[in-house]
Amino acid sequence: MTEQLGYFLLSWLDPSLLLLTAAGTLAGIYIGAIPGLSVTMAASILISFTFAWEVNDALALIAGVFTGGVYGGSRSAILLNIPGAPAAIATALDGYPLARRGEAGVAIGLSTVMSVIGGFVGILALAVAAPVISDFALLFAPRDYLLLAVMGLLLVGTMSGESLAKGLFAGALGVALGMVGLDPMTAENRFTFGTVQLMAGIPYIAAMIGFFGVSEALVQLHRLGVKPVKQDVSRIIPPWHLVRKYLPLSLRSSLIGVVIGALPGTGGDIAALMAYDQAKRTVKNPSRPFGEGAYEGLIAPESANNAAVGGAYVPMLTLGIPGDAVTAVIIGALFIHGLKPGPMLMIETPHLFWFTVGNLTLANIFLLVFGLTGIRAFAKLVECPPAVLIPLILVLSVVGTYSIQNSVVDVYFMLGFGIFGYLLKMYGFQVGPVILGMILGPLMDVSWRRAIISVGDDLGFFLEEALSSPLTLVLLAFMAFLLLSQVPRPDWLRRRR
Amino acid sequence: MTARPRPGRAPFPRNHAMHEIRRQREPGETPFGFVLLLLSLGVMAEGHRLQGFEALSAPGVVPVAAGAVMALSALVIILGTRRLAPAPGGFARRIAPRDVALSVLMIAAYMAALEPVGFHLATLVFLAGIILYLRRGGLGFALAVSLASVIAVHVVFRMVFTVVLPQGWLLRGILPPGLLQ
C-alpha cells in the first residue's frame, strides 16, 4: 500500500514531473480550445519529440495535454460555437446559447468545475474498478461492438435538430468515408479509384478540421456585418448553489462517461453525446429548454467527457486496447519506450499504473486552477473582429492539417471537406455525425465481418446467437428504444394519453 | 487608415446553431438533395463492385448498407424539402455570397502557393489580402496583424512543435538562405 502511494505521489513530489504535468495541462487547455488544433494531433506531435525522454516525463506531459485538451474543447464550443474537439460537440448545443445570453463566464466556470468532478470520478473508477470494467469489456463479442457503433451513430443521428433523415444521412456518409482505403481484412482497394493517396484512407484530422474549422469559418462569413455578442466573462467562479444543485447530474453523467470511455473505441465524444441525451430525457424541469442555454445541457457532456479520460485508460492499461484516439496514440508512446500495454503491464510494471492514476489526479487539480483563471485572455479572442479571427482560424487550420504528415494533399482534402461541410450546414445538416461515422465505420465493418465469419456467413445462426446473448439483447433493446422515441406517436395514441 | 463601414449588408436571416429548426427551403436545396442521392447510389454501386452481395462477410457489405441508408435518407430529405416554402433571395445571395465565394478562392490560391513560395510569404500575403478585403480597408492594420500572426505561428509550430513548414522553391536563391527556417 505504501509502495502504491509512493508511485501515486511520484509526479506530485518530483519538481520536473510536477512542472511537466502543469505545462501539459495548460498547453492542453489552449490546444483543445483553438479550433483546428486537436488533442490527438497534439499528443501525436508530442510523442515525436518526447520519445528520447524518460517514460514518466513523456507520460506526465501527455496526460496533462489529454486532460486539458478534452476540457479545452469546451471553451471554443461555448464562446465560438466551434467544438475544439469532438468531445465538445454536445457542449456547443447549450454552451453557445448561454454565451449569447451573456453568461459565458458562468458557462466556462461551470464547465471547468464539472469537468474536474468528472475527471475525479473517472480516475476513481480507473483506480478502483479497473479490473472489473476490463473483465466486463472482455465479454463483448464482435456483434456487440457492431451494435455499439450503430448505437453511437443512431444517437448522434437523433440529435440532428432538423430531421432524423439528415442525421442518419450524415452518419452513413461518415461510415462510407471511413471505408475509403485498403480493406483491413483483404487489402482490397475500396473507394480509392486508383489513387495512391487514398489507399491509407481519408486523412481523419484533415476531415475533422475541414468539417469543423473551415466550414464554420465560412458560415461565420455570413455574420461579418453582425456585431458579435460581447461575452460576459466577469464572473468566472460559478455560484456555489449551482454547483451543489447540479452535482447529482454531474455524478450521473460522469458514470456514463466512465462506462462509455472504458468501452474500446468509444471515447469522450460518444460519452458526452450520450450524457447529453440522457440529461435531455431525464431532467424534467431544466433551467431553460435544452438547446437554448440549459445549464444541464452543458454540465452533462462536460462531466462525461472528462470522466471518459479515466475510463479510456482502463482498457488501454489492462487490455492494451485503446479507449479512444488519444489513448491509441499513448499506446504508441508506451511501445516506443519498450513497454507492452496489456494484462501483463499491470503485473510487471504496477508502478506505471499508480503513477498514471496519481498523474491524472494532479492534472485535474491543475485543470481546476488554470480553468478558473486566465479565461479572459481566451475570451478576448471572441471580441477580436471576425474579419481578423476568421482568416486566423483558416491559417491555423492549414498549419494544423499540414503538420500531421507534412502533406499539401491533406490541406486540399481539408478545403474540400470544408466546402462540403459548409454546404451541408447551410442546408440544415450537422457535420458531427459525419466525423463520428468516420470513426465508427471501420469498427462497424470489421466487427460485422468478424461476427458473421465466426458463424460461417450464416445469418440465421448469427441472429440466433445474438438473441441468446443477454448483453446483445440489452444493446438491441436500447437501440429500439432510441429509434421508437424518435418516431412521432400516432394521433390515437396521443389522445389516449 | 480605418476600415470603411460595410455597404448595406442584409444580415443573414438564419441562425446556424446546431439545434435550430429551419422552416424555409434554401435556394439550391432540392438539387443538393439530388446530388446527395446520386452520391448515395455511387456508394452503393462501388460497394456492389466489391462483391457486396456475394457473401455477408464481403468487403462491400457495409458500404452497400451505408449507401442504402444514405439513399433512403436522401429520398426522405428531398420529399421533405419540396414541402417547404422557398426562402426569399437567390443562391448567390444566401448560399454563396461574394464574401464566401472570394474567400474560398483566396484560400485555394493560398494553398496552391504554399509549396512554391513557402509558408511564411504565402501566409503573410494571404492574411493581409483577406483581412484587407473583409474589413474593406485598413492596409496598415492588415499588414501588422498578418506579420504578428506569421511570427506567432512560426514560434509555436516551427520552434516549439518543430513542425516542418513548407519553405518554398520559387524564391530560393533570392531570399537569404536560412531566412525564417
Side-chain angles (χ1 to χ4, degrees):
Chain A
M1 189 66 190
T2 316
E3 201 180 358
Q4 289 163 345
L5 189 65
Y7 295 141
F8 179 90
L9 292 175
L10 192 60
S11 57
W12 298 53
L13 302 174
D14 184 318
S16 68
L17 289 173
L18 191 79
L19 192 69
L20 281 168
T21 311
T25 310
L26 185 64
I29 292 173
Y30 282 87
I31 288 166
I34 296 173
L37 297 183
S38 70
V39 64
T40 317
M41 186 196 90
S44 320
I45 294 171
L46 282 175
I47 281 168
S48 66
F49 71 89
T50 56
F51 73 92
W53 297 11
E54 287 287 321
V55 64
N56 285 353
D57 292 359
L59 287 178
L61 188 69
I62 292 166
V65 168
F66 190 8
T67 306
V70 169
Y71 156 78
S74 69
R75 288 201 172 180
S76 47
I78 291 168
L79 294 173
L80 301 170
N81 200 21
I82 305 174
I89 292 171
T91 307
L93 295 176
D94 281 278
Y96 185 62
L98 267 170
R100 285 176 65 88
R101 287 172 178 271
E103 292 187 56
V106 177
I108 291 175
L110 266 180
S111 76
T112 306
V113 172
M114 297 307 172
S115 293
V116 172
I117 291 172
F120 283 139
V121 173
I123 294 162
L124 194 68
L126 173 66
V128 177
V132 181
I133 293 175
S134 61
D135 282 351
F136 182 67
L138 274 173
L139 294 175
F140 277 68
R143 65 172 176 273
D144 300 319
Y145 285 110
L146 170 74
L147 290 177
L148 271 176
V150 174
M151 198 168 74
L153 282 179
L154 273 178
L155 209 62
V156 288
T158 56
M159 289 194 60
S160 184
E162 199 166 301
S163 76
L164 179 63
K166 287 186 175 174
L168 288 180
F169 182 90
L173 173 67
V175 172
L177 287 173
M179 295 295 106
V180 175
L182 292 180
D183 175 15
M185 295 177 96
T186 63
E188 194 169 343
N189 278 298
R190 292 197 292 191
F191 300 101
T192 58
F193 309 106
T195 315
V196 179
Q197 280 93 348
L198 287 175
M199 283 184 181
I202 299 268
Y204 166 67
I205 301 287
M208 198 181 103
I209 293 176
F211 276 124
F212 286 123
V214 176
S215 71
E216 184 57 33
L218 294 177
V219 169
Q220 294 290 342
L221 284 171
H222 285 275
R223 309 176 139 253
L224 281 178
V226 181
K227 279 204 163 190
V229 178
K230 193 167 171 77
Q231 311 289 0
D232 176 19
V233 288
S234 54
R235 170 144 197 156
I236 297 164
I237 298 181
W240 171 240
H241 72 90
L242 279 184
V243 176
R244 208 175 45 191
K245 183 179 174 189
Y246 294 119
L247 189 62
L249 174 67
S250 175
L251 292 175
R252 274 204 316 271
S253 306
S254 300
L255 289 177
I256 294 175
V258 169
V259 174
I260 299 298
L263 297 176
T266 55
D269 43 1
I270 297 179
L273 288 165
M274 287 192 87
Y276 182 88
D277 195 57
Q278 192 266 351
K280 200 174 166 184
R281 288 166 199 278
T282 56
V283 176
K284 291 207 169 75
N285 298 306
S287 56
R288 292 187 193 96
F290 277 88
E292 293 177 23
Y295 291 131
E296 293 85 347
L298 178 77
I299 288 160
E302 277 307 298
S303 306
N305 62 21
N306 272 72
V309 172
Y313 270 84
V314 174
M316 185 195 87
L317 289 176
T318 57
L319 304 169
I321 297 171
D324 64 358
V326 184
T327 41
V329 174
I330 297 174
I331 283 184
L334 291 174
F335 275 126
I336 287 171
H337 286 94
L339 297 163
K340 194 166 176 277
M344 292 306 288
L345 188 84
M346 288 182 76
I347 298 165
E348 289 170 354
T349 51
H351 65 276
L352 201 73
F353 175 74
W354 289 108
F355 169 74
T356 303
V357 173
N359 194 227
L360 284 170
T361 311
L362 186 63
N364 270 280
I365 292 168
F366 281 124
L367 183 66
L368 187 67
V369 175
F370 295 138
L372 294 179
T373 53
I375 284 173
R376 288 172 201 218
F378 180 74
K380 284 279 173 206
L381 270 178
V382 183
E383 289 167 31
C384 175
V388 175
L389 189 61
I390 294 169
L392 290 179
I393 291 173
L394 290 170
V395 167
L396 282 179
S397 300
V398 168
V399 178
T401 307
Y402 183 83
S403 67
I404 305 159
Q405 301 187 90
N406 297 336
S407 161
V408 175
V409 177
D410 284 0
V411 181
Y412 288 124
F413 268 116
M414 180 205 70
L415 180 62
F417 286 124
I419 294 170
F420 186 52
Y422 167 75
L423 287 172
L424 287 175
K425 283 183 174 181
M426 295 307 290
Y427 291 127
F429 290 79
Q430 286 183 28
V431 292
V434 184
I435 293 293
L436 202 68
M438 283 183 72
I439 303 170
L440 294 177
L443 179 70
M444 283 169 65
D445 182 45
V446 170
S447 303
W448 161 252
R449 288 159 73 187
R450 278 190 188 148
I452 201 74
I453 286 171
S454 71
V455 290
D457 265 18
D458 186 334
L459 190 61
F461 194 34
F462 173 82
L463 290 174
E464 195 181 309
E465 271 207 336
L467 294 175
S468 60
S469 158
L471 191 60
T472 309
L473 283 175
V474 169
L475 288 171
L476 279 171
F478 187 74
M479 281 168 60
F481 168 73
L482 211 61
L483 269 179
L484 288 174
S485 65
Q486 293 300 312
V487 178
R489 283 193 298 269
D491 285 345
W492 62 267
L493 193 62
R494 266 184 289 187
R495 260 183 254 123
R496 271 178 62 180
R497 283 172 70 92
Chain B
M1 202 171 167
T2 52
R4 292 192 303 273
R6 302 182 63 73
R9 157 180 294 278
F12 191 63
R14 172 152 64 84
N15 184 343
H16 67 279
M18 292 163 110
H19 58 276
E20 185 92 348
I21 304 294
R22 290 185 319 113
R23 291 188 174 81
Q24 288 185 313
R25 184 173 73 237
E26 293 293 336
E29 192 162 355
T30 308
F32 187 69
F34 280 106
V35 169
L36 296 183
L37 181 61
L38 277 177
L39 179 70
S40 317
L41 296 175
V43 170
M44 285 181 75
E46 176 68 4
H48 181 241
R49 189 190 66 77
L50 297 162
Q51 303 99 41
F53 297 121
E54 283 184 15
L56 286 170
S57 58
V61 170
V62 172
V64 167
V69 173
M70 285 167 68
L72 277 172
S73 306
L75 276 174
V76 173
I77 291 163
I78 290 168
L79 290 173
T81 305
R82 290 169 73 89
R83 282 200 288 267
L84 297 171
F91 184 83
R93 177 169 164 257
R94 293 182 67 88
I95 305 297
R98 197 179 57 176
D99 285 350
V100 174
L102 277 177
S103 296
V104 167
L105 286 177
M106 278 193 258
I107 302 164
Y110 166 52
M111 288 173 181
L114 270 178
E115 285 199 316
V117 302
F119 170 79
H120 300 88
L121 189 58
T123 304
L124 189 71
V125 173
F126 166 71
L127 277 178
I130 196 167
I131 292 173
L132 193 66
Y133 167 70
L134 293 177
R135 291 186 80 236
R136 309 287 193 260
L139 179 65
F141 176 83
L143 279 174
V145 170
S146 309
L147 193 61
S149 306
V150 171
I151 291 170
V153 170
H154 179 81
V155 169
V156 173
F157 284 87
R158 184 73 194 99
M159 296 171 77
V160 178
F161 285 150
T162 61
V163 170
V164 179
L165 298 166
Q167 296 304 313
W169 43 263
L170 201 63
L171 301 176
R172 202 174 289 158
I174 299 171
L175 292 175
L179 181 73
L180 287 176
Q181 287 192 7

